[in-house]
Amino acid sequence: MGVGASGLLAASGCSSSPPRPDAGGDADAKLINFYGDSLGGETTGKFWKRALERFETDRGVTVKPVTYTFDQAPTQLLLAARSGNASGVGEAGPWQVLVPLGVLADLSEIASKHDYPKALLDGFTVDGRLYVLPQYVDAIGLVGNGSILSSVGFTGDKVSVDDFAATLEKIKAQDRRVIPYAGATKQPALKDLIPWMWTFGSEVITADLKVTLGDAASVKVLEWYKQLVSAGLIGKEVHRDDARVLLAQGRTALYDDVGLARSFAKTNGAPKPLQDGLLSITRPALKADGDSYNRGSAGGLFVFAGAGEATSRGLAEWICTDPALAGDFFTLNSRVTALSSVASAIPEIGKDRFQTSWNERSIGHARFPAYNRLPTSAALDDLIGQGVAKILAGEQTSQEGLNALRAKVQKQVDDSK
């Protein structure tokens, strides 16, 4: 089931300065590491520099940045963990690869003080242990060109998939140069079809890790999607980077993205009126009164167990729950805190038309795949995408392709347990 906006943005108490660890343990730790792939980013780097310097000043400790690229993250984190010298805090990233090594601290006690919603915490929990404290929440939802959509009478409110297809037809009839929906039709973005599978009633992978690909609902959604592609309502050979450019150029009406869509529109040269008119769209439901689903996306921090753990816990809790930091993070990165009481203390969020709508229409309908907790979650996304690509290319029928894919995905899931 999806979780309402008041669910994924749940209430919580906050602290205004870095908390100190309880007496004893590593209360006097003077050096911890901070591992991250966004430390060198233009805007994210500014945030981390300010936050870590403030923690150092207030606590009298040194926080040593350990920087790597996003692609290097799994390898670098595994090397650090296996060295036996890992300590401190890290951006969640591929946190799942560290779980089998037993090096991560259980953060359940911290989370229990802040009323995080269960749906969000479940995505970071393995065998009852919470390994990531959420910092922000987002979703992969639908975002569109407000001018084009309003010209065909579409407001972005929830409609049925049939009414959605009818809207795409109107857009195509109005201007054949515009791709009505720049949905994913090429790897590595084909995992974007998973929310559509949920919409049609397929779990894809259940909570007890049983793969349902090949069921009637997943076959139906692939047939529906192929029909939209054949009718020219969805572009061919499109992945998310392509779609971002198409939107910025006014050549598509809508596509799938995270809440940073406005930033991508700007960097891709979209004119100011297009940027200002971007519309957050509720993903269509199977029936107009049915459930809408988006894939949840969240970031947070993990803590290495052992040396420096108490100090590291204090840093992680402060970063993830402090209103001033959350406001700075939103201003610099357009990422919204996972805690509604913290968000309500940030005036910039309430004044932001697009973000307010995005919280309701996209984040408010987010759910997280059951396999998020597996160390092979990224590989499973890729495997599912490869199978879908063969079906869209006509190499296999929807039923044949999904049946074959089910066996492959189930094997990988079982091998990951």
Side-chain angles (χ1 to χ4, degrees):
M1 297 295 292
V3 180
S6 60
L8 281 183
L9 297 172
S12 167
C14 316
S15 61
S16 59
S17 61
R20 295 186 174 276
D22 295 333
D26 69 344
D28 296 326
K30 295 300 182 183
L31 173 66
I32 59 173
N33 294 327
F34 189 91
Y35 303 81
D37 58 60
S38 70
L39 293 170
E42 182 178 351
T43 55
T44 52
K46 291 179 182 177
F47 170 80
W48 291 119
K49 185 175 187 293
R50 293 175 189 173
L52 299 182
E53 286 180 351
R54 180 180 167 194
F55 188 82
E56 289 179 318
T57 300
D58 289 355
R59 289 286 296 274
V61 302
T62 297
V63 182
K64 179 184 176 182
V66 180
T67 306
Y68 40 77
T69 66
F70 178 81
D71 291 339
Q72 294 172 336
T75 301
Q76 293 301 315
L77 289 174
L78 285 172
L79 287 172
R82 288 169 177 161
S83 73
N85 299 316
S87 69
V89 179
E91 292 184 85
W95 62 275
Q96 302 94 328
V97 302
L98 298 174
V99 173
L101 303 182
V103 297
L104 297 182
D106 181 1
L107 304 179
S108 301
E109 184 179 357
I110 295 176
S112 68
K113 296 187 295 181
H114 295 283
D115 254 356
Y116 278 108
K118 185 177 183 298
L120 180 57
L121 297 182
D122 282 350
F124 296 119
T125 300
V126 180
D127 296 330
R129 296 171 64 86
L130 177 69
Y131 290 118
V132 174
L133 193 67
Q135 180 190 10
Y136 66 85
V137 64
D138 201 347
I140 299 174
L142 292 171
V143 60
N145 182 316
S147 177
I148 294 175
L149 294 171
S150 65
S151 71
V152 295
F154 187 68
T155 64
D157 292 334
K158 185 173 66 175
V159 297
S160 70
V161 293
D162 290 340
D163 288 340
F164 176 69
T167 295
L168 300 182
E169 290 278 12
K170 291 179 183 178
I171 295 169
K172 179 182 176 182
Q174 180 172 272
D175 188 345
R176 292 188 173 274
R177 296 170 298 178
V178 172
I179 298 172
Y181 174 29
T185 46
K186 183 171 68 174
Q187 279 287 71
L190 288 171
K191 64 182 181 181
D192 284 358
L193 268 73
I194 290 174
W196 287 119
M197 292 183 183
W198 292 337
T199 297
F200 277 71
S202 177
E203 288 293 307
V204 184
I205 299 178
T206 65
D208 58 354
L209 300 180
K210 298 298 182 184
V211 181
T212 67
L213 294 168
D215 60 4
S218 61
V219 172
K220 185 176 180 180
V221 72
L222 260 295
E223 289 299 302
W224 173 77
Y225 206 80
K226 287 195 299 181
Q227 288 171 6
L228 295 184
V229 174
S230 297
L233 304 181
I234 294 178
K236 295 181 179 179
E237 292 293 303
V238 173
H239 61 67
R240 188 167 294 128
D241 288 342
D242 301 323
R244 288 168 178 165
V245 173
L246 289 169
L247 183 86
Q249 295 175 343
R251 294 170 56 203
T252 189
L254 68 151
Y255 76 110
D256 298 85
D257 211 343
V258 292
L260 292 172
R262 286 178 300 176
S263 297
F264 299 132
K266 182 177 180 179
T267 57
N268 281 303
K272 190 67 163 53
L274 194 156
Q275 294 178 43
D276 293 342
L278 286 184
L279 183 68
S280 173
I281 300 162
T282 304
R283 189 177 299 276
L286 190 59
K287 302 296 182 183
D289 59 351
D291 292 324
S292 172
Y293 298 108
N294 289 316
R295 182 165 181 164
S297 169
L301 302 175
F302 64 77
V303 171
F304 279 112
E309 183 179 335
T311 302
S312 300
R313 283 172 172 268
L315 175 58
E317 180 176 9
W318 176 62
I319 286 176
C320 292
T321 64
D322 182 75
L325 288 178
D328 197 21
F329 197 67
F330 175 74
T331 300
L332 289 171
N333 304 298
S334 298
R335 296 287 199 183
V336 177
T337 171
L339 303 167
S340 64
S341 64
V342 177
S344 66
I346 303 172
E348 291 81 4
I349 294 178
K351 296 175 183 177
D352 191 319
R353 176 196 63 81
F354 178 83
Q355 189 63 57
T356 300
S357 177
W358 188 261
N359 290 347
E360 177 185 349
R361 291 179 166 182
S362 293
I363 297 176
H365 296 280
R367 61 180 284 187
F368 297 83
Y371 59 90
N372 260 20
R373 64 184 186 267
L374 297 178
T376 56
S377 61
L380 286 166
D381 276 337
D382 188 58
L383 184 58
I384 291 170
Q386 290 175 25
V388 170
K390 290 181 179 180
I391 295 169
L392 293 181
E395 296 177 22
Q396 297 172 306
T397 67
S398 297
Q399 187 71 71
E400 292 170 344
L402 289 172
N403 286 347
L405 186 57
R406 180 181 63 241
K408 292 179 181 178
V409 173
Q410 188 68 66
K411 181 180 186 304
Q412 186 151 327
V413 167
D414 293 342
D415 290 346
S416 301
K417 293 180 182 178

Short mmCIF file of all heavy atoms in Angstrom, two decimals, residues 339-381:
data_model
loop_
_atom_site.label_atom_id
_atom_site.label_comp_id
_atom_site.label_asym_id
_atom_site.label_seq_id
_atom_site.Cartn_x
_atom_site.Cartn_y
_atom_site.Cartn_z
N LEU A 339 10.80 14.08 8.37
CA LEU A 339 10.02 14.32 9.58
C LEU A 339 9.15 15.56 9.42
O LEU A 339 9.64 16.66 9.18
CB LEU A 339 10.96 14.49 10.78
CG LEU A 339 11.90 13.30 11.00
CD1 LEU A 339 13.01 13.65 11.96
CD2 LEU A 339 11.13 12.09 11.48
N SER A 340 7.84 15.39 9.54
CA SER A 340 6.93 16.49 9.23
C SER A 340 7.04 17.65 10.20
O SER A 340 6.88 18.81 9.81
CB SER A 340 5.48 15.99 9.18
OG SER A 340 5.07 15.53 10.44
N SER A 341 7.31 17.37 11.48
CA SER A 341 7.42 18.48 12.43
C SER A 341 8.65 19.31 12.13
O SER A 341 8.67 20.53 12.34
CB SER A 341 7.47 17.97 13.87
OG SER A 341 8.63 17.20 14.08
N VAL A 342 9.68 18.68 11.61
CA VAL A 342 10.87 19.42 11.20
C VAL A 342 10.55 20.22 9.94
O VAL A 342 10.89 21.40 9.83
CB VAL A 342 12.05 18.46 10.95
CG1 VAL A 342 13.27 19.23 10.46
CG2 VAL A 342 12.40 17.70 12.22
N ALA A 343 9.87 19.60 8.98
CA ALA A 343 9.51 20.29 7.74
C ALA A 343 8.63 21.50 8.02
O ALA A 343 8.77 22.55 7.38
CB ALA A 343 8.80 19.32 6.80
N SER A 344 7.71 21.37 9.00
CA SER A 344 6.81 22.48 9.31
C SER A 344 7.54 23.66 9.91
O SER A 344 7.01 24.78 9.93
CB SER A 344 5.71 22.00 10.26
OG SER A 344 6.25 21.64 11.52
N ALA A 345 8.75 23.43 10.41
CA ALA A 345 9.54 24.51 10.99
C ALA A 345 10.41 25.21 9.95
O ALA A 345 11.19 26.10 10.29
CB ALA A 345 10.41 23.96 12.13
N ILE A 346 10.28 24.80 8.69
CA ILE A 346 11.10 25.37 7.62
C ILE A 346 10.18 26.17 6.68
O ILE A 346 9.48 25.61 5.84
CB ILE A 346 11.82 24.26 6.83
CG1 ILE A 346 12.67 23.42 7.79
CG2 ILE A 346 12.68 24.85 5.72
CD1 ILE A 346 13.26 22.18 7.15
N PRO A 347 10.13 27.49 6.81
CA PRO A 347 9.20 28.31 6.03
C PRO A 347 9.37 28.13 4.52
O PRO A 347 8.38 28.20 3.77
CB PRO A 347 9.56 29.75 6.45
CG PRO A 347 10.23 29.61 7.78
CD PRO A 347 10.96 28.31 7.73
N GLU A 348 10.60 27.91 4.08
CA GLU A 348 10.86 27.80 2.64
C GLU A 348 10.07 26.65 2.01
O GLU A 348 9.66 26.74 0.85
CB GLU A 348 12.35 27.61 2.38
CG GLU A 348 13.21 28.81 2.70
CD GLU A 348 13.53 28.93 4.18
OE1 GLU A 348 13.16 28.03 4.95
OE2 GLU A 348 14.16 29.93 4.56
N ILE A 349 9.87 25.58 2.76
CA ILE A 349 9.13 24.44 2.20
C ILE A 349 7.66 24.80 2.00
O ILE A 349 7.07 24.52 0.95
CB ILE A 349 9.27 23.20 3.12
CG1 ILE A 349 10.73 22.73 3.14
CG2 ILE A 349 8.34 22.08 2.65
CD1 ILE A 349 10.98 21.55 4.06
N GLY A 350 7.06 25.42 3.01
CA GLY A 350 5.65 25.78 2.91
C GLY A 350 5.36 26.80 1.82
O GLY A 350 4.26 26.84 1.26
N LYS A 351 6.35 27.64 1.50
CA LYS A 351 6.17 28.67 0.47
C LYS A 351 6.43 28.15 -0.94
O LYS A 351 6.16 28.85 -1.92
CB LYS A 351 7.12 29.84 0.75
CG LYS A 351 6.85 30.58 2.05
CD LYS A 351 7.92 31.64 2.29
CE LYS A 351 7.72 32.35 3.61
NZ LYS A 351 8.81 33.33 3.88
N ASP A 352 6.94 26.94 -1.05
CA ASP A 352 7.35 26.38 -2.34
C ASP A 352 6.18 25.63 -2.97
O ASP A 352 5.82 24.53 -2.53
CB ASP A 352 8.54 25.44 -2.13
CG ASP A 352 9.20 25.01 -3.42
OD1 ASP A 352 8.47 24.71 -4.38
OD2 ASP A 352 10.44 24.94 -3.46
N ARG A 353 5.56 26.22 -4.00
CA ARG A 353 4.38 25.63 -4.62
C ARG A 353 4.65 24.23 -5.15
O ARG A 353 3.89 23.30 -4.90
CB ARG A 353 3.89 26.53 -5.77
CG ARG A 353 2.71 25.96 -6.56
CD ARG A 353 2.54 26.67 -7.89
NE ARG A 353 3.69 26.50 -8.77
CZ ARG A 353 3.89 25.41 -9.52
NH1 ARG A 353 3.03 24.40 -9.49
NH2 ARG A 353 4.96 25.33 -10.30
N PHE A 354 5.72 24.09 -5.90
CA PHE A 354 6.01 22.78 -6.48
C PHE A 354 6.30 21.75 -5.41
O PHE A 354 5.79 20.63 -5.45
CB PHE A 354 7.20 22.87 -7.44
CG PHE A 354 7.58 21.55 -8.05
CD1 PHE A 354 6.91 21.07 -9.17
CD2 PHE A 354 8.59 20.76 -7.50
CE1 PHE A 354 7.24 19.83 -9.73
CE2 PHE A 354 8.92 19.53 -8.05
CZ PHE A 354 8.25 19.07 -9.17
N GLN A 355 7.12 22.12 -4.42
CA GLN A 355 7.49 21.14 -3.39
C GLN A 355 6.28 20.71 -2.57
O GLN A 355 6.14 19.54 -2.22
CB GLN A 355 8.56 21.72 -2.46
CG GLN A 355 9.15 20.70 -1.51
CD GLN A 355 9.88 19.58 -2.23
OE1 GLN A 355 10.79 19.83 -2.99
NE2 GLN A 355 9.46 18.35 -2.01
N THR A 356 5.40 21.66 -2.25
CA THR A 356 4.20 21.32 -1.50
C THR A 356 3.35 20.32 -2.27
O THR A 356 2.85 19.34 -1.72
CB THR A 356 3.38 22.58 -1.21
OG1 THR A 356 4.17 23.49 -0.44
CG2 THR A 356 2.11 22.25 -0.44
N SER A 357 3.20 20.56 -3.57
CA SER A 357 2.45 19.64 -4.41
C SER A 357 3.16 18.30 -4.53
O SER A 357 2.53 17.23 -4.50
CB SER A 357 2.24 20.26 -5.80
OG SER A 357 1.58 19.37 -6.67
N TRP A 358 4.48 18.34 -4.67
CA TRP A 358 5.27 17.11 -4.80
C TRP A 358 5.13 16.24 -3.54
O TRP A 358 5.01 15.03 -3.62
CB TRP A 358 6.74 17.45 -5.05
CG TRP A 358 7.60 16.27 -5.38
CD1 TRP A 358 8.41 15.58 -4.53
CD2 TRP A 358 7.71 15.62 -6.65
NE1 TRP A 358 9.03 14.55 -5.19
CE2 TRP A 358 8.63 14.56 -6.49
CE3 TRP A 358 7.14 15.86 -7.91
CZ2 TRP A 358 8.97 13.72 -7.55
CZ3 TRP A 358 7.50 15.02 -8.96
CH2 TRP A 358 8.40 13.97 -8.77
N ASN A 359 5.13 16.88 -2.37
CA ASN A 359 4.97 16.13 -1.13
C ASN A 359 3.66 15.36 -1.12
O ASN A 359 3.60 14.22 -0.65
CB ASN A 359 5.01 17.08 0.07
CG ASN A 359 6.38 17.67 0.31
OD1 ASN A 359 7.38 17.22 -0.25
ND2 ASN A 359 6.44 18.71 1.13
N GLU A 360 2.61 15.99 -1.63
CA GLU A 360 1.29 15.37 -1.62
C GLU A 360 1.13 14.35 -2.74
O GLU A 360 0.68 13.22 -2.50
CB GLU A 360 0.21 16.44 -1.75
CG GLU A 360 -1.20 15.89 -1.82
CD GLU A 360 -2.24 16.95 -2.06
OE1 GLU A 360 -1.91 18.16 -1.96
OE2 GLU A 360 -3.40 16.60 -2.36
N ARG A 361 1.49 14.73 -3.95
CA ARG A 361 1.18 13.91 -5.12
C ARG A 361 2.20 12.80 -5.39
O ARG A 361 1.84 11.77 -5.97
CB ARG A 361 1.03 14.79 -6.35
CG ARG A 361 -0.20 15.68 -6.31
CD ARG A 361 -0.29 16.56 -7.55
NE ARG A 361 -1.60 17.18 -7.69
CZ ARG A 361 -1.96 17.95 -8.68
NH1 ARG A 361 -1.09 18.20 -9.67
NH2 ARG A 361 -3.17 18.46 -8.75
N SER A 362 3.44 13.01 -5.01
CA SER A 362 4.47 12.02 -5.30
C SER A 362 4.94 11.29 -4.05
O SER A 362 4.76 10.09 -3.91
CB SER A 362 5.66 12.68 -6.01
OG SER A 362 5.27 13.14 -7.29
N ILE A 363 5.51 12.04 -3.09
CA ILE A 363 5.98 11.40 -1.86
C ILE A 363 4.82 10.79 -1.10
O ILE A 363 4.95 9.72 -0.49
CB ILE A 363 6.72 12.43 -0.98
CG1 ILE A 363 7.97 12.94 -1.71
CG2 ILE A 363 7.10 11.82 0.36
CD1 ILE A 363 8.72 14.03 -0.96
N GLY A 364 3.67 11.43 -1.18
CA GLY A 364 2.50 10.92 -0.46
C GLY A 364 1.98 9.58 -0.95
O GLY A 364 1.16 8.95 -0.29
N HIS A 365 2.46 9.13 -2.10
CA HIS A 365 2.03 7.83 -2.65
C HIS A 365 3.22 6.88 -2.82
O HIS A 365 3.18 5.97 -3.64
CB HIS A 365 1.32 8.04 -3.99
CG HIS A 365 0.05 8.82 -3.88
ND1 HIS A 365 -1.14 8.25 -3.47
CD2 HIS A 365 -0.22 10.14 -4.09
CE1 HIS A 365 -2.08 9.18 -3.45
NE2 HIS A 365 -1.56 10.32 -3.82
N ALA A 366 4.25 7.13 -2.03
CA ALA A 366 5.48 6.33 -2.18
C ALA A 366 5.40 5.02 -1.43
O ALA A 366 4.80 4.93 -0.35
CB ALA A 366 6.68 7.13 -1.70
N ARG A 367 6.01 4.00 -2.00
CA ARG A 367 6.24 2.73 -1.31
C ARG A 367 7.63 2.24 -1.72
O ARG A 367 8.17 2.67 -2.74
CB ARG A 367 5.17 1.68 -1.65
CG ARG A 367 5.10 1.31 -3.11
CD ARG A 367 4.03 0.25 -3.37
NE ARG A 367 4.44 -1.08 -2.94
CZ ARG A 367 3.73 -2.19 -3.19
NH1 ARG A 367 2.58 -2.11 -3.83
NH2 ARG A 367 4.15 -3.36 -2.77
N PHE A 368 8.18 1.36 -0.92
CA PHE A 368 9.55 0.90 -1.14
C PHE A 368 9.54 -0.59 -1.47
O PHE A 368 8.85 -1.37 -0.81
CB PHE A 368 10.40 1.16 0.10
CG PHE A 368 10.55 2.61 0.42
CD1 PHE A 368 9.58 3.28 1.15
CD2 PHE A 368 11.64 3.33 -0.02
CE1 PHE A 368 9.69 4.64 1.44
CE2 PHE A 368 11.78 4.68 0.26
CZ PHE A 368 10.80 5.34 0.99
N PRO A 369 10.28 -0.99 -2.52
CA PRO A 369 10.32 -2.41 -2.87
C PRO A 369 10.81 -3.26 -1.69
O PRO A 369 11.72 -2.85 -0.96
CB PRO A 369 11.33 -2.46 -4.02
CG PRO A 369 11.34 -1.07 -4.60
CD PRO A 369 11.12 -0.17 -3.42
N ALA A 370 10.23 -4.43 -1.55
CA ALA A 370 10.61 -5.32 -0.45
C ALA A 370 12.07 -5.72 -0.53
O ALA A 370 12.70 -6.02 0.48
CB ALA A 370 9.72 -6.55 -0.44
N TYR A 371 12.62 -5.73 -1.74
CA TYR A 371 14.00 -6.18 -1.91
C TYR A 371 15.03 -5.08 -1.68
O TYR A 371 16.23 -5.30 -1.83
CB TYR A 371 14.20 -6.80 -3.30
CG TYR A 371 13.91 -5.90 -4.47
CD1 TYR A 371 14.90 -5.10 -5.03
CD2 TYR A 371 12.65 -5.86 -5.05
CE1 TYR A 371 14.65 -4.29 -6.11
CE2 TYR A 371 12.38 -5.04 -6.14
CZ TYR A 371 13.39 -4.26 -6.67
OH TYR A 371 13.12 -3.45 -7.75
N ASN A 372 14.57 -3.88 -1.27
CA ASN A 372 15.50 -2.79 -0.99
C ASN A 372 16.54 -3.19 0.05
O ASN A 372 17.66 -2.68 0.05
CB ASN A 372 14.73 -1.57 -0.46
CG ASN A 372 14.52 -0.53 -1.54
OD1 ASN A 372 14.58 -0.83 -2.72
ND2 ASN A 372 14.22 0.69 -1.14
N ARG A 373 16.17 -4.06 0.97
CA ARG A 373 17.07 -4.42 2.06
C ARG A 373 18.14 -5.43 1.66
O ARG A 373 19.04 -5.73 2.46
CB ARG A 373 16.26 -4.98 3.23
CG ARG A 373 15.51 -6.27 2.93
CD ARG A 373 14.66 -6.67 4.14
NE ARG A 373 14.01 -7.97 3.98
CZ ARG A 373 12.81 -8.14 3.51
NH1 ARG A 373 12.10 -7.09 3.11
NH2 ARG A 373 12.27 -9.35 3.43
N LEU A 374 18.04 -5.99 0.46
CA LEU A 374 19.01 -6.99 0.03
C LEU A 374 20.27 -6.32 -0.53
O LEU A 374 20.19 -5.27 -1.16
CB LEU A 374 18.39 -7.88 -1.06
CG LEU A 374 17.18 -8.72 -0.65
CD1 LEU A 374 16.67 -9.51 -1.85
CD2 LEU A 374 17.53 -9.67 0.50
N PRO A 375 21.44 -6.94 -0.31
CA PRO A 375 22.68 -6.35 -0.84
C PRO A 375 22.72 -6.30 -2.36
O PRO A 375 23.51 -5.57 -2.94
CB PRO A 375 23.77 -7.26 -0.27
CG PRO A 375 23.09 -8.53 0.09
CD PRO A 375 21.70 -8.14 0.48
N THR A 376 21.86 -7.09 -3.00
CA THR A 376 21.82 -7.12 -4.47
C THR A 376 20.67 -6.30 -5.04
O THR A 376 20.26 -6.52 -6.17
CB THR A 376 21.69 -8.58 -4.96
OG1 THR A 376 20.53 -9.16 -4.35
CG2 THR A 376 22.92 -9.39 -4.61
N SER A 377 20.14 -5.36 -4.27
CA SER A 377 18.95 -4.61 -4.72
C SER A 377 19.20 -3.89 -6.05
O SER A 377 18.34 -3.91 -6.94
CB SER A 377 18.51 -3.61 -3.65
OG SER A 377 19.54 -2.67 -3.38
N ALA A 378 20.36 -3.27 -6.20
CA ALA A 378 20.67 -2.58 -7.45
C ALA A 378 20.77 -3.56 -8.60
O ALA A 378 20.31 -3.29 -9.72
CB ALA A 378 21.96 -1.78 -7.31
N ALA A 379 21.37 -4.72 -8.34
CA ALA A 379 21.50 -5.74 -9.39
C ALA A 379 20.13 -6.30 -9.76
O ALA A 379 19.89 -6.62 -10.94
CB ALA A 379 22.41 -6.87 -8.91
N LEU A 380 19.22 -6.39 -8.80
CA LEU A 380 17.87 -6.87 -9.09
C LEU A 380 17.13 -5.86 -9.97
O LEU A 380 16.42 -6.24 -10.91
CB LEU A 380 17.10 -7.12 -7.79
CG LEU A 380 17.52 -8.37 -7.03
CD1 LEU A 380 16.96 -8.35 -5.61
CD2 LEU A 380 17.05 -9.64 -7.76
N ASP A 381 17.28 -4.57 -9.68
CA ASP A 381 16.70 -3.54 -10.54
C ASP A 381 17.20 -3.70 -11.97
O ASP A 381 16.43 -3.61 -12.93
CB ASP A 381 17.08 -2.15 -10.03
CG ASP A 381 16.16 -1.65 -8.93
OD1 ASP A 381 15.03 -2.12 -8.83
OD2 ASP A 381 16.59 -0.76 -8.17
#
